[in-house]
Amino acid sequence: MLMVANLTDEQLIRKSLDGDEEAFGEVIRRWERKIFALCYGILGCREEALDATQEAFMLAYKNLSGFRGEAKVSSWLHRIAINQCLTRMCSAKSREESLEFEEGALVITSSSNSPFDVVEEKERALLIRKAIRSLPFELRQIVIMKEFEDMTFQEIAEVLDMPVSTVKSRLYLALRQLKLRLENKFSTV
Amino acid sequence: MKEQKCEFSEYLMSYLYKETVDKTFFEAHLASCQICSHELEEFKLLRSSFSVLREQIYNEFEPITLIQLQRPSLWRRLTGILPIGFRRLAFTCVIFVVLLSGALYFLVNRQELTVSNSDVAIVDEPKQVEEGLVEIEKSAEESRKEKYSTEQSKRSKGKNDFWKKKTPKRLNLPVRLSEQNKFEMTDQIEVDEGIRLLDLFENIGEV
């Protein structure tokens, strides 16, 4: 167990290719939270995000031989997860369903005990989620990777296969759009 | 209102996320650019509100169990293709088919039993029983006769063999007989090799 924890992602993938399930388990443990955050941010629905995360890891496990080692394991997993989210969004569109945010599921652990503050934070979080959801997919995925996963510009560029400057300019655009949307909404709240 | 955009927006992003290459250069720019300094403050505020959402997302996370990654069995792979509702339907169909085949098998067997019973009932008629008995007797007698004849033939065969051993060899003797004592003799005279030849010679001597 300790041995597996000390290995790099690439080494773990190589071990998984040799049939070591525990090695791939370690890969999951390392990346499942971040992949879930990405899926949750894109899809906006917890259950859908959990399903997409599981499906992404299943696909990665099935296509381990397809990993050539040219990109990082994290980038590869992120790409699979993004594709999985896109597939789910397309299928939801084809079924004429909308993957709306679960407003009722919002549970905010506030530092202040005041009920007024809790309600305010809850409303604020809901508005942010809706604002992120309203962004175009190209901008949304960058915001999520940067804000919820703490990925560097270089890592995002690797995942999306685009120049770093494009990632920066897209993030700038996304933040400006979010600011505008939230300004209007916060003024009405 | 259309917001203005500074050409250093990419630098602003790097500075905001602390990935800047030249910090002093951009700080100098911030001091002179109102657009960038204003946007930097607004973006910092926006980012602080993201932290609440980020915390909430990670709280809702549920770890993936490794069992799901294990290779499914053949049955699971086969049934996994079908949706859950359909799987239930298929299962009930299988049970129904098994029960139906069992019932059919039982019914067919029962029919065979009734047929054999009717056969017995026909045989119960007195005339046919008598005929049947006569036939049985005849066949028994025939078989007995056959057995007897085969035994007889075997015995006779054994007898012949015994006599064959005892019969003397046939000798072709050219016998010249005078006209006075002529008696008819066949060309072939069956004589006992040991005894009868002597008798014959005695007879010849007397002659």
Side-chain angles (χ1 to χ4, degrees), chain B residues 4-73:
Chain B
Q4 290 175 316
K5 187 187 171 184
C6 179
E7 58 182 338
F8 288 99
S9 59
E10 280 180 29
Y11 283 93
L12 176 66
M13 288 294 102
S14 300
Y15 188 78
L16 181 69
Y17 291 98
K18 292 167 187 170
E19 282 186 44
T20 186
V21 186
D22 198 346
K23 198 178 172 183
T24 48
F25 165 75
F26 191 70
E27 278 174 351
H29 171 74
L30 275 175
S32 61
C33 182
Q34 275 194 337
I35 302 163
C36 284
S37 57
H38 179 67
E39 276 187 332
L40 183 68
E41 289 307 309
E42 281 183 331
F43 287 161
K44 275 182 180 174
L45 199 72
L46 186 68
R47 284 199 71 203
S48 66
S49 57
F50 284 152
S51 63
V52 179
L53 187 60
R54 179 195 171 118
E55 198 182 315
Q56 195 237 325
I57 282 176
Y58 282 110
N59 281 340
E60 286 185 30
F61 170 70
E62 203 176 276
I64 299 167
T65 48
L66 274 172
I67 303 158
Q68 285 158 329
L69 288 174
Q70 281 169 3
R71 194 168 261 242
S73 62

Coordinates of all heavy atoms in Angstrom, one line a residue, chain B residues 4-73:
Chain B
Q4 N -14.1 48.6 -20.8 CA -12.8 48.7 -21.5 C -11.9 47.5 -21.1 O -12.1 47.0 -20.0 CB -12.1 50.0 -21.1 CG -12.8 51.3 -21.6 CD -12.2 52.6 -21.1 OE1 -11.9 52.7 -19.9 NE2 -12.0 53.5 -22.0
K5 N -11.0 47.2 -22.0 CA -10.1 46.1 -21.8 C -8.7 46.5 -22.0 O -8.4 47.2 -23.0 CB -10.5 45.0 -22.8 CG -9.8 43.7 -22.5 CD -10.0 42.7 -23.6 CE -9.1 41.5 -23.4 NZ -9.3 40.5 -24.5
C6 N -7.9 46.2 -21.0 CA -6.5 46.6 -21.1 C -5.7 45.5 -21.9 O -6.1 44.3 -21.8 CB -5.9 46.7 -19.7 SG -4.1 47.2 -19.7
E7 N -4.7 45.9 -22.6 CA -3.9 44.9 -23.3 C -3.1 43.9 -22.4 O -2.6 42.9 -22.8 CB -2.9 45.6 -24.3 CG -2.0 46.5 -23.6 CD -1.1 47.2 -24.6 OE1 -0.9 46.7 -25.7 OE2 -0.5 48.3 -24.2
F8 N -3.0 44.3 -21.1 CA -2.3 43.4 -20.2 C -3.2 42.5 -19.4 O -2.9 42.0 -18.3 CB -1.5 44.3 -19.2 CG -0.3 45.0 -19.8 CD1 -0.4 46.3 -20.2 CD2 0.9 44.3 -19.9 CE1 0.7 47.0 -20.7 CE2 2.0 45.0 -20.5 CZ 1.9 46.3 -20.9
S9 N -4.3 42.2 -20.0 CA -5.3 41.3 -19.3 C -4.7 39.9 -19.0 O -5.0 39.3 -18.0 CB -6.6 41.1 -20.2 OG -6.2 40.6 -21.4
E10 N -3.9 39.4 -19.9 CA -3.3 38.1 -19.6 C -2.3 38.1 -18.4 O -2.3 37.2 -17.6 CB -2.5 37.6 -20.9 CG -3.4 37.0 -21.9 CD -2.7 36.5 -23.2 OE1 -1.5 36.1 -23.0 OE2 -3.3 36.6 -24.2
Y11 N -1.6 39.3 -18.3 CA -0.7 39.5 -17.2 C -1.6 39.6 -15.9 O -1.2 39.1 -14.9 CB 0.1 40.7 -17.4 CG 1.2 40.6 -18.3 CD1 1.1 40.9 -19.7 CD2 2.5 40.1 -17.9 CE1 2.1 40.8 -20.6 CE2 3.5 40.0 -18.8 CZ 3.3 40.3 -20.1 OH 4.4 40.2 -21.0
L12 N -2.8 40.2 -16.1 CA -3.7 40.4 -14.9 C -4.1 39.0 -14.4 O -4.1 38.8 -13.2 CB -4.9 41.2 -15.3 CG -6.0 41.3 -14.3 CD1 -5.5 42.2 -13.1 CD2 -7.2 42.0 -14.9
M13 N -4.3 38.1 -15.3 CA -4.7 36.7 -14.9 C -3.6 36.0 -14.2 O -3.8 35.4 -13.1 CB -5.1 35.9 -16.1 CG -6.4 36.2 -16.8 SD -7.8 35.9 -15.7 CE -8.2 37.5 -15.1
S14 N -2.4 36.1 -14.7 CA -1.2 35.5 -14.1 C -1.0 36.1 -12.7 O -0.7 35.4 -11.8 CB 0.0 35.7 -15.0 OG -0.2 35.2 -16.2
Y15 N -1.2 37.4 -12.6 CA -1.0 38.1 -11.3 C -2.1 37.7 -10.3 O -1.8 37.4 -9.1 CB -1.0 39.6 -11.5 CG -0.6 40.4 -10.3 CD1 0.7 40.5 -9.9 CD2 -1.6 41.0 -9.5 CE1 1.1 41.2 -8.8 CE2 -1.2 41.7 -8.3 CZ 0.1 41.8 -8.0 OH 0.5 42.5 -6.8
L16 N -3.3 37.6 -10.8 CA -4.4 37.2 -9.9 C -4.2 35.8 -9.3 O -4.5 35.6 -8.1 CB -5.7 37.3 -10.7 CG -7.0 36.9 -10.0 CD1 -7.4 38.0 -8.9 CD2 -8.2 36.8 -11.0
Y17 N -3.7 34.9 -10.1 CA -3.5 33.5 -9.7 C -2.1 33.2 -9.2 O -1.7 32.1 -9.1 CB -4.0 32.5 -10.8 CG -5.5 32.5 -11.0 CD1 -6.1 33.3 -12.0 CD2 -6.3 31.8 -10.2 CE1 -7.4 33.3 -12.2 CE2 -7.7 31.9 -10.3 CZ -8.3 32.6 -11.4 OH -9.6 32.6 -11.5
K18 N -1.4 34.3 -9.1 CA 0.0 34.2 -8.6 C 0.9 33.3 -9.4 O 1.6 32.4 -8.9 CB 0.0 33.7 -7.1 CG -0.6 34.8 -6.2 CD -0.8 34.3 -4.8 CE -1.6 35.4 -4.0 NZ -2.1 34.9 -2.8
E19 N 0.7 33.4 -10.7 CA 1.6 32.6 -11.6 C 2.4 33.6 -12.5 O 2.8 33.3 -13.6 CB 0.7 31.7 -12.5 CG 0.2 30.5 -11.9 CD -0.6 29.6 -12.8 OE1 -0.1 29.3 -13.9 OE2 -1.6 29.1 -12.4
T20 N 2.6 34.8 -12.0 CA 3.2 35.8 -12.8 C 4.7 35.5 -12.9 O 5.4 34.9 -12.0 CB 3.0 37.2 -12.2 OG1 3.5 38.2 -13.1 CG2 3.6 37.4 -10.9
V21 N 5.2 36.0 -14.0 CA 6.7 35.8 -14.3 C 7.4 37.1 -13.7 O 8.4 36.9 -13.0 CB 6.9 35.6 -15.8 CG1 8.4 35.3 -16.0 CG2 6.1 34.5 -16.4
D22 N 6.9 38.2 -14.1 CA 7.5 39.5 -13.7 C 6.5 40.3 -12.8 O 5.7 41.0 -13.3 CB 7.9 40.3 -14.9 CG 9.0 41.3 -14.6 OD1 9.2 41.6 -13.4 OD2 9.6 41.8 -15.6
K23 N 6.7 40.1 -11.5 CA 5.7 40.7 -10.5 C 5.9 42.2 -10.5 O 4.9 42.9 -10.5 CB 5.9 40.0 -9.2 CG 4.8 40.2 -8.2 CD 5.1 39.5 -6.9 CE 4.1 39.8 -5.8 NZ 4.4 39.2 -4.6
T24 N 7.1 42.6 -10.4 CA 7.4 44.0 -10.2 C 7.0 44.8 -11.5 O 6.4 45.9 -11.3 CB 8.9 44.3 -10.0 OG1 9.7 43.5 -11.0 CG2 9.4 43.9 -8.6
F25 N 7.1 44.2 -12.6 CA 6.7 44.9 -13.9 C 5.2 45.1 -13.8 O 4.7 46.2 -14.1 CB 7.1 44.0 -15.1 CG 6.4 44.4 -16.3 CD1 6.8 45.6 -17.0 CD2 5.4 43.7 -16.9 CE1 6.2 46.0 -18.2 CE2 4.7 44.1 -18.0 CZ 5.1 45.2 -18.7
F26 N 4.4 44.1 -13.5 CA 3.0 44.3 -13.5 C 2.5 45.2 -12.4 O 1.5 45.9 -12.6 CB 2.3 42.9 -13.4 CG 0.8 43.0 -13.7 CD1 0.4 43.2 -15.0 CD2 -0.1 42.8 -12.7 CE1 -1.0 43.4 -15.3 CE2 -1.5 43.0 -13.0 CZ -1.9 43.2 -14.3
E27 N 3.1 45.1 -11.2 CA 2.7 46.0 -10.1 C 2.9 47.5 -10.6 O 2.1 48.4 -10.2 CB 3.5 45.7 -8.9 CG 2.9 44.5 -8.1 CD 3.6 44.0 -6.9 OE1 4.8 44.4 -6.7 OE2 3.1 43.2 -6.2
A28 N 4.0 47.7 -11.3 CA 4.2 49.1 -11.9 C 3.1 49.5 -12.8 O 2.6 50.6 -12.8 CB 5.6 49.1 -12.6
H29 N 2.7 48.5 -13.6 CA 1.6 48.7 -14.6 C 0.3 49.0 -13.8 O -0.5 49.9 -14.2 CB 1.4 47.5 -15.5 CG 0.2 47.6 -16.3 ND1 0.1 48.4 -17.4 CD2 -1.0 46.9 -16.2 CE1 -1.2 48.3 -17.9 NE2 -1.8 47.4 -17.2
L30 N 0.0 48.2 -12.7 CA -1.2 48.4 -11.9 C -1.3 49.8 -11.4 O -2.4 50.4 -11.3 CB -1.2 47.4 -10.8 CG -1.8 46.0 -11.1 CD1 -1.6 45.1 -9.9 CD2 -3.3 46.1 -11.5
A31 N -0.1 50.3 -11.0 CA -0.1 51.7 -10.4 C -0.5 52.7 -11.4 O -1.1 53.8 -11.0 CB 1.3 51.9 -9.9
S32 N -0.3 52.4 -12.7 CA -0.6 53.4 -13.7 C -1.9 53.1 -14.4 O -2.5 54.1 -15.0 CB 0.6 53.5 -14.7 OG 0.7 52.2 -15.3
C33 N -2.4 51.9 -14.4 CA -3.6 51.5 -15.1 C -4.8 51.3 -14.2 O -4.8 50.4 -13.3 CB -3.3 50.2 -15.9 SG -4.7 49.7 -16.9
Q34 N -5.8 52.2 -14.4 CA -7.0 52.1 -13.5 C -7.9 50.9 -13.8 O -8.5 50.4 -13.0 CB -7.8 53.4 -13.7 CG -7.3 54.5 -12.8 CD -8.2 55.7 -12.7 OE1 -9.1 55.9 -13.6 NE2 -8.2 56.5 -11.6
I35 N -7.9 50.6 -15.1 CA -8.8 49.5 -15.6 C -8.3 48.2 -14.9 O -9.1 47.5 -14.3 CB -8.7 49.3 -17.1 CG1 -9.2 50.6 -17.8 CG2 -9.6 48.1 -17.6 CD1 -8.8 50.7 -19.3
C36 N -7.0 47.9 -15.0 CA -6.5 46.7 -14.4 C -6.6 46.7 -12.9 O -7.0 45.6 -12.3 CB -5.0 46.6 -14.8 SG -4.8 46.0 -16.5
S37 N -6.3 47.8 -12.2 CA -6.4 47.8 -10.8 C -7.9 47.6 -10.3 O -8.1 46.8 -9.4 CB -5.8 49.1 -10.2 OG -6.5 50.2 -10.8
H38 N -8.8 48.2 -11.0 CA -10.2 48.0 -10.7 C -10.7 46.6 -10.9 O -11.4 46.0 -10.1 CB -11.0 49.0 -11.6 CG -12.5 48.9 -11.4 ND1 -13.1 49.3 -10.2 CD2 -13.5 48.5 -12.2 CE1 -14.4 49.1 -10.3 NE2 -14.7 48.6 -11.5
E39 N -10.3 46.0 -12.1 CA -10.7 44.6 -12.4 C -10.0 43.7 -11.4 O -10.7 42.7 -11.0 CB -10.2 44.3 -13.8 CG -11.3 44.7 -14.8 CD -11.0 44.3 -16.2 OE1 -9.8 44.1 -16.6 OE2 -11.9 44.1 -17.0
L40 N -8.8 44.0 -11.0 CA -8.1 43.1 -10.0 C -8.9 43.0 -8.7 O -9.1 41.9 -8.2 CB -6.7 43.6 -9.8 CG -5.9 42.8 -8.9 CD1 -5.5 41.4 -9.5 CD2 -4.6 43.5 -8.5
E41 N -9.4 44.1 -8.3 CA -10.2 44.2 -7.0 C -11.5 43.4 -7.2 O -11.9 42.6 -6.3 CB -10.5 45.6 -6.6 CG -9.3 46.4 -6.1 CD -8.5 45.7 -5.0 OE1 -9.2 45.3 -4.0 OE2 -7.3 45.5 -5.1
E42 N -12.1 43.6 -8.3 CA -13.4 42.9 -8.5 C -13.2 41.4 -8.7 O -14.0 40.6 -8.1 CB -14.1 43.5 -9.8 CG -14.7 44.8 -9.6 CD -15.4 45.3 -10.8 OE1 -15.0 45.0 -11.9 OE2 -16.4 46.1 -10.7
F43 N -12.2 41.0 -9.4 CA -11.9 39.6 -9.5 C -11.5 38.9 -8.2 O -11.9 37.8 -8.0 CB -10.8 39.4 -10.6 CG -11.2 39.6 -12.0 CD1 -10.3 39.9 -13.0 CD2 -12.6 39.7 -12.4 CE1 -10.6 40.1 -14.3 CE2 -12.9 39.9 -13.7 CZ -12.0 40.1 -14.7
K44 N -10.9 39.6 -7.4 CA -10.5 39.1 -6.1 C -11.8 38.8 -5.2 O -11.9 37.8 -4.6 CB -9.6 40.1 -5.3 CG -8.1 39.9 -5.7 CD -7.2 40.8 -4.9 CE -5.8 40.7 -5.2 NZ -4.9 41.7 -4.5
L45 N -12.7 39.8 -5.3 CA -14.0 39.6 -4.6 C -14.8 38.4 -5.1 O -15.3 37.6 -4.4 CB -14.8 40.9 -4.8 CG -15.9 41.2 -3.8 CD1 -15.3 41.5 -2.4 CD2 -16.8 42.3 -4.3
L46 N -14.7 38.3 -6.4 CA -15.5 37.2 -7.1 C -14.8 35.9 -6.7 O -15.6 34.9 -6.4 CB -15.4 37.4 -8.6 CG -16.1 36.4 -9.5 CD1 -17.6 36.6 -9.4 CD2 -15.7 36.6 -11.0
R47 N -13.6 35.8 -6.6 CA -12.9 34.6 -6.2 C -13.1 34.2 -4.8 O -13.2 33.0 -4.5 CB -11.3 34.7 -6.4 CG -10.9 34.7 -7.9 CD -9.5 34.4 -8.0 NE -9.2 33.0 -7.6 CZ -8.0 32.6 -7.2 NH1 -7.0 33.4 -7.1 NH2 -7.8 31.3 -6.9
S48 N -13.3 35.2 -4.0 CA -13.6 34.9 -2.5 C -15.0 34.2 -2.4 O -15.2 33.3 -1.6 CB -13.5 36.1 -1.7 OG -14.6 37.0 -2.1
S49 N -15.9 34.6 -3.3 CA -17.3 34.0 -3.3 C -17.2 32.6 -3.9 O -18.1 31.7 -3.5 CB -18.3 34.8 -4.0 OG -17.9 35.0 -5.3
F50 N -16.2 32.3 -4.7 CA -16.1 30.9 -5.3 C -15.7 29.9 -4.2 O -16.1 28.7 -4.3 CB -15.0 30.9 -6.4 CG -15.4 31.5 -7.7 CD1 -14.5 32.0 -8.5 CD2 -16.7 31.5 -8.1 CE1 -14.8 32.5 -9.8 CE2 -17.1 32.0 -9.3 CZ -16.1 32.5 -10.2
S51 N -15.0 30.4 -3.2 CA -14.5 29.5 -2.2 C -15.7 28.7 -1.4 O -15.5 27.6 -1.0 CB -13.6 30.2 -1.2 OG -14.4 31.2 -0.5
V52 N -16.8 29.5 -1.3 CA -17.9 28.9 -0.6 C -18.5 27.7 -1.4 O -18.8 26.6 -0.9 CB -19.1 29.9 -0.4 CG1 -20.3 29.3 0.3 CG2 -18.5 31.1 0.4
L53 N -18.6 28.0 -2.7 CA -19.1 27.0 -3.6 C -18.2 25.8 -3.8 O -18.6 24.6 -3.8 CB -19.3 27.6 -5.0 CG -20.0 26.8 -6.1 CD1 -21.4 26.3 -5.7 CD2 -20.0 27.5 -7.4
R54 N -16.9 26.1 -3.8 CA -15.9 25.0 -3.9 C -15.9 24.1 -2.7 O -15.9 22.9 -2.8 CB -14.5 25.8 -3.9 CG -13.3 24.9 -4.0 CD -12.1 25.7 -3.6 NE -10.9 24.9 -3.5 CZ -9.9 25.1 -4.3 NH1 -9.8 26.0 -5.2 NH2 -8.8 24.3 -4.1
E55 N -16.1 24.7 -1.5 CA -16.2 23.9 -0.3 C -17.4 23.0 -0.3 O -17.4 21.8 0.0 CB -16.3 24.8 0.9 CG -16.0 24.2 2.3 CD -16.2 25.2 3.4 OE1 -15.7 26.3 3.3 OE2 -16.8 24.8 4.4
Q56 N -18.5 23.6 -0.8 CA -19.8 22.8 -0.9 C -19.6 21.6 -1.9 O -20.1 20.5 -1.6 CB -20.9 23.8 -1.3 CG -22.2 23.2 -1.1 CD -23.1 23.2 -2.4 OE1 -22.9 24.0 -3.2 NE2 -23.9 22.2 -2.5
I57 N -19.0 21.9 -3.0 CA -18.8 20.8 -4.0 C -18.0 19.6 -3.4 O -18.4 18.5 -3.6 CB -18.2 21.4 -5.3 CG1 -19.2 22.1 -6.1 CG2 -17.5 20.2 -6.1 CD1 -18.7 22.8 -7.3
Y58 N -16.9 20.0 -2.8 CA -16.1 18.9 -2.2 C -16.8 18.2 -1.0 O -16.5 17.0 -0.8 CB -14.7 19.4 -1.8 CG -13.8 19.6 -2.9 CD1 -13.4 20.9 -3.4 CD2 -13.3 18.5 -3.7 CE1 -12.6 21.0 -4.5 CE2 -12.5 18.7 -4.8 CZ -12.2 19.9 -5.2 OH -11.4 20.1 -6.3
N59 N -17.7 18.9 -0.4 CA -18.5 18.2 0.7 C -19.5 17.2 0.2 O -19.8 16.2 0.8 CB -19.3 19.3 1.5 CG -18.4 20.0 2.5 OD1 -17.3 19.5 2.9 ND2 -18.9 21.2 2.9
E60 N -19.9 17.4 -1.1 CA -20.9 16.5 -1.7 C -20.3 15.3 -2.4 O -20.9 14.5 -2.9 CB -21.8 17.3 -2.7 CG -22.8 18.2 -2.0 CD -23.7 18.9 -2.9 OE1 -24.0 18.3 -4.0 OE2 -24.2 20.0 -2.7
F61 N -18.9 15.3 -2.3 CA -18.2 14.2 -3.0 C -18.4 12.9 -2.3 O -18.5 12.8 -1.1 CB -16.7 14.5 -3.1 CG -15.9 13.4 -3.5 CD1 -16.0 13.0 -4.8 CD2 -15.1 12.8 -2.7 CE1 -15.2 11.9 -5.3 CE2 -14.3 11.7 -3.1 CZ -14.4 11.3 -4.4
E62 N -18.5 11.8 -3.1 CA -18.7 10.4 -2.5 C -17.6 9.6 -3.2 O -17.5 9.5 -4.5 CB -20.0 9.9 -2.9 CG -20.6 8.8 -2.1 CD -22.0 8.4 -2.5 OE1 -22.9 9.1 -2.0 OE2 -22.1 7.5 -3.2
P63 N -16.7 8.9 -2.4 CA -15.6 8.2 -3.1 C -16.1 7.0 -3.9 O -17.2 6.4 -3.6 CB -14.8 7.7 -1.9 CG -15.3 8.4 -0.7 CD -16.6 8.8 -1.0
I64 N -15.4 6.7 -5.0 CA -15.8 5.6 -5.9 C -15.3 4.3 -5.2 O -14.2 4.2 -4.7 CB -15.1 5.8 -7.2 CG1 -15.6 7.1 -7.9 CG2 -15.4 4.6 -8.1 CD1 -14.7 7.5 -9.1
T65 N -16.1 3.3 -5.2 CA -15.7 2.0 -4.7 C -15.0 1.2 -5.8 O -15.4 1.3 -7.0 CB -16.9 1.2 -4.2 OG1 -17.9 1.2 -5.2 CG2 -17.5 1.7 -2.9
L66 N -14.0 0.5 -5.4 CA -13.1 -0.2 -6.3 C -13.9 -1.4 -6.9 O -13.5 -1.9 -8.0 CB -11.9 -0.7 -5.7 CG -10.7 0.3 -5.7 CD1 -9.6 -0.2 -4.8 CD2 -10.2 0.6 -7.1
I67 N -14.9 -1.9 -6.2 CA -15.6 -3.1 -6.7 C -16.2 -2.9 -8.1 O -16.2 -3.8 -8.9 CB -16.8 -3.5 -5.7 CG1 -16.2 -3.7 -4.3 CG2 -17.5 -4.7 -6.2 CD1 -17.2 -3.5 -3.2
Q68 N -16.5 -1.6 -8.3 CA -17.1 -1.3 -9.6 C -16.1 -1.5 -10.8 O -16.5 -1.6 -11.9 CB -17.7 0.1 -9.6 CG -19.0 0.2 -8.8 CD -19.2 1.6 -8.3 OE1 -18.3 2.3 -8.1 NE2 -20.5 1.9 -8.2
L69 N -14.9 -1.4 -10.4 CA -13.8 -1.5 -11.5 C -13.4 -2.9 -11.8 O -12.7 -3.2 -12.7 CB -12.6 -0.7 -11.1 CG -12.8 0.8 -11.1 CD1 -11.6 1.5 -10.6 CD2 -13.0 1.3 -12.6
Q70 N -13.8 -3.9 -10.9 CA -13.4 -5.2 -11.1 C -14.2 -5.8 -12.3 O -15.3 -5.4 -12.6 CB -13.7 -6.1 -9.9 CG -12.7 -5.9 -8.8 CD -13.1 -6.5 -7.5 OE1 -14.1 -7.1 -7.4 NE2 -12.2 -6.3 -6.5
R71 N -13.5 -6.7 -13.0 CA -14.1 -7.3 -14.2 C -15.4 -8.0 -13.9 O -15.4 -8.9 -13.1 CB -13.1 -8.2 -14.8 CG -13.4 -8.6 -16.2 CD -12.2 -9.3 -16.8 NE -11.5 -8.4 -17.6 CZ -11.2 -8.5 -18.9 NH1 -11.7 -9.6 -19.5 NH2 -10.6 -7.7 -19.6
P72 N -16.5 -7.6 -14.5 CA -17.8 -8.3 -14.2 C -17.8 -9.7 -14.7 O -17.1 -10.0 -15.7 CB -18.8 -7.4 -14.9 CG -18.1 -6.7 -16.0 CD -16.6 -6.6 -15.6
S73 N -18.6 -10.5 -14.1 CA -18.8 -11.9 -14.5 C -19.5 -11.9 -15.9 O -20.1 -10.9 -16.3 CB -19.6 -12.7 -13.5 OG -20.9 -12.1 -13.4

